[in-house]
Amino acid sequence: MEGEKKPPQLSRPSPSFRLRCASLNVVRLRRVFDLFDHNGDGEITVDELALALDRLGLGADPTDLRATVDAYIQPGHQGLAFEDFEALHSALGDALFGPDAGADDEARPREEEDGDMEEAFRVFDEDGDGFISAAELQAVLAKLGLPEGRSMARVIEMIYSVDRNHDGLVDFLEFKDMMQSIAVRNS
């Protein structure tokens, strides 16, 4: 059908797996961790990880997943603490892309940081028009299984909190300001 979106192909890993900006990577990883930690106990079990991957359309064999994840779970714990999740993410990034030879925020040109932000923005801007609408934000939140994705009123409130020109949309500069303020608060 004409105009129908095709599902993304997962034949090779996305370079966004490990953003070049370390502070954005930590913020993003913390958000992913919190999303995957379905019961909010501060650990991601293999079952929670499998559920999250299924919701994202990236189903994994539970036996293979357990074999990979168990090596990172600390003795006496049922799942991955955030630090364990970070170590697993780093090891997977090294295996897929080679060692992360110093993602030094201070030495990075502004253009590279902007490229990371643009890539993150495109995840939400599903139709590619340069704006994140309430419908697009709701769709992404729903795909991630977040309760905010069930309430359009909550989504509109989220947009309003960053929409400086009050057009009901989040443009790239508004998104960038929001992400940078989150990175500063979490530093």
Side-chain angles (χ1 to χ4, degrees), residues 23-167:
S23 62
L24 279 178
N25 212 20
V26 171
V27 169
R28 184 194 62 178
L29 242 112
R30 185 72 221 195
R31 287 182 158 199
V32 169
F33 180 87
D34 291 342
L35 291 172
F36 285 12
D37 182 14
H38 191 70
N39 64 2
D41 67 354
E43 292 184 354
I44 299 173
T45 64
V46 173
D47 291 338
E48 287 173 322
L49 187 56
L51 175 65
L53 292 174
D54 281 343
R55 284 181 173 169
L56 293 170
L58 304 171
D61 180 287
T63 305
D64 292 342
L65 194 56
R66 182 166 302 284
T68 301
V69 172
D70 276 348
Y72 291 88
I73 297 175
Q74 298 299 312
H77 292 265
Q78 298 299 311
L80 297 165
F82 179 68
E83 295 75 23
D84 308 326
F85 185 67
E86 257 185 320
L88 173 62
H89 181 267
S90 178
L92 290 172
D94 289 350
L96 294 170
F97 304 108
D100 189 13
D104 182 5
D105 283 350
E106 303 304 319
R108 290 187 63 229
R110 167 86 50 224
E111 297 82 30
E112 285 184 25
E113 288 181 24
D114 284 349
D116 287 342
M117 288 284 189
E118 288 169 2
E119 189 171 336
F121 182 81
R122 283 191 299 268
V123 169
F124 291 89
D125 180 18
E126 292 184 325
D127 66 6
D129 69 353
F131 300 97
I132 301 170
S133 68
E136 287 171 319
L137 179 57
Q138 185 178 35
V140 171
L141 295 174
K143 284 179 192 173
L144 294 172
L146 294 174
E148 291 89 344
R150 292 191 297 261
S151 167
M152 182 55 84
R154 177 66 182 122
V155 170
I156 291 170
E157 182 181 310
M158 292 169 74
I159 286 183
Y160 180 77
S161 71
V162 298
D163 181 17
R164 283 192 265 142
N165 63 359
H166 307 292
D167 64 355

